[in-house]
Amino acid sequence: MDRYEKALADSKVTGDDSVVAAEVKKILESAGDYATPEVYQFLFSSIDLTTLSTEDSQESVTAFTQRVNDFDNEYPQFRNVAAICVYSNFAEVVSSALEVTGVDVAVVAGGFPSSQTFTAVKVADVALAVAGGANEVDVVMNLGYLRDRNYEDLCDELIELKHTAKNAKLKVILETGALKTAEAIKTASVLAMWSDADFIKTSTGKIYQGASLEASWVMCQCIKEYYAQTGRKVGFKAAGGIRTAEEAVNYYAIVKEVLGDEWLNHDLFRIGASSLANSLLAAMTGEDKRFF
């Protein structure tokens, strides 16, 4: 048995979908208690503000970045978003245009959103993005390898991508909408973390169903177990279809109830979003204004 098979065999996280649904339902019963101004502000400052359009251009991405710069001037009472997330070829554009401190440059890379390309192409993409100024890199797990139970090649590829990213955070997207079951999501979570992922992320938001509370609960349970086994903290990122402040609070509740306050910081918790930023800003200010 190799180390990946052993890690999966040793995991005690439930793969029973009915148990997962019941646990999530319990958390949601009191999730509304977290709908406070402080939590809204924390959630806003945990956003990876994202533009991933076929029509993105140097001009549009520069303007997108400028809105983040403007936010510091127009809302100095609030902390800015955690990162700006763009396609890998725009890393240098964001890095050059970004004027505020405390906001990271994140990219999607490595054959996003399908992960269907050569490993060498993925490595080159990550390397070029980091050279362009990216300090966070989101890549999609190769679900073809996962389907074939080819765990060695799957994990070797992720380890190589983390090695290429160097000090940049590597967020591994599990595409939970394709995995569907708690058992499959558990398998993907464990393999990603044992492959040096700094974060595990729910979804691309491009092809399959986006984030779900059930998938997030399983992922957070796996993170908790991995931390107990290794002492290494892996972050959690929810992405795909989270559009309202109320929905974001539910994900906050999952992380708080499963992982605790230790994970409620920008090094370990993120939400990938575009329209969510405006919903949270409205909740924070009482003004229904489309800023981003």
Side-chain angles (χ1 to χ4, degrees):
M1 184 183 296
D2 65 25
R3 74 171 186 144
Y4 305 120
E5 291 280 4
K6 184 177 187 307
L8 292 169
D10 289 346
S11 177
K12 300 298 188 293
V13 174
T14 183
D16 187 322
D17 290 296
S18 61
V19 171
V20 173
E23 292 296 326
V24 169
K25 183 179 179 182
K26 265 193 272 185
I27 291 173
L28 292 182
E29 287 171 0
S30 57
D33 295 343
Y34 297 124
T36 66
E38 294 76 20
V39 169
Y40 288 142
Q41 289 175 35
F42 170 75
L43 288 167
F44 180 88
S45 66
S46 301
I47 288 177
D48 287 356
L49 191 67
T50 304
T51 178
L52 297 173
S53 168
T54 303
E55 296 180 281
D56 284 343
S57 67
Q58 183 168 335
E59 185 177 324
S60 71
V61 171
T62 298
F64 188 76
T65 305
Q66 187 57 45
R67 293 307 285 158
V68 173
N69 294 334
D70 293 342
F71 183 84
D72 263 21
N73 296 322
E74 296 196 33
Y75 296 96
Q77 70 272 37
F78 299 131
R79 183 168 174 173
N80 216 318
V81 296
I84 297 173
C85 185
V86 295
Y87 282 115
S88 55
N89 52 306
F90 293 115
E92 191 169 357
V93 175
V94 175
S95 183
S96 298
L98 189 61
E99 299 169 356
V100 298
T101 59
V103 178
D104 287 337
V105 180
V107 299
V108 295
F112 181 93
S114 67
S115 193
Q116 297 289 6
T117 190
F118 301 101
T119 298
V121 172
K122 298 179 186 182
V123 168
D125 194 10
V126 171
L128 288 167
V130 172
N135 45 27
E136 301 185 3
V137 181
D138 294 23
V139 301
V140 182
M141 175 180 282
N142 188 318
L143 296 191
Y145 285 152
L146 187 69
R147 178 180 181 178
D148 291 348
R149 298 177 62 88
N150 184 358
Y151 300 153
E152 186 171 352
D153 283 346
L154 183 155
C155 295
D156 283 352
E157 181 175 87
L158 291 177
I159 290 168
E160 186 172 1
L161 293 177
K162 174 55 188 173
H163 178 75
T164 303
K166 299 179 180 177
N167 293 327
K169 288 186 176 75
L170 186 74
K171 305 195 197 93
V172 176
I173 305 167
L174 309 185
E175 199 66 293
T176 55
L179 298 175
K180 296 179 182 176
T181 68
E183 188 64 35
I185 292 164
K186 167 186 167 180
T187 297
S189 298
V190 170
L191 293 174
M193 290 188 290
W194 283 97
S195 302
D196 301 335
D198 296 302
F199 269 73
I200 53 176
K201 173 180 169 181
T202 59
S203 320
T204 63
K206 286 291 183 184
I207 303 172
Y208 302 93
Q209 176 188 340
S212 75
L213 297 170
E214 291 76 15
S216 300
W217 187 90
V218 174
M219 291 166 68
C220 288
Q221 290 290 345
C222 290
I223 290 170
K224 182 178 181 179
E225 181 181 70
Y226 180 79
Y227 176 59
Q229 292 169 337
T230 67
R232 187 170 80 92
K233 290 180 177 177
V234 174
F236 167 76
K237 179 175 174 179
I242 305 170
R243 296 184 175 88
T244 69
E246 293 74 20
E247 289 170 339
V249 166
N250 289 338
Y251 286 92
Y252 175 95
I254 294 288
V255 174
K256 183 173 178 66
E257 295 298 326
V258 176
L259 292 169
D261 290 340
E262 284 184 77
W263 260 260
L264 293 174
N265 61 72
H266 308 112
D267 289 329
L268 294 170
F269 176 73
R270 296 290 180 86
I271 298 181
S274 50
S275 57
L276 172 64
N278 290 315
S279 177
L280 283 169
L281 187 57
M284 290 154 57
T285 63
E287 302 172 2
D288 191 10
K289 179 181 178 183
R290 186 172 179 82
F291 184 87
F292 293 103

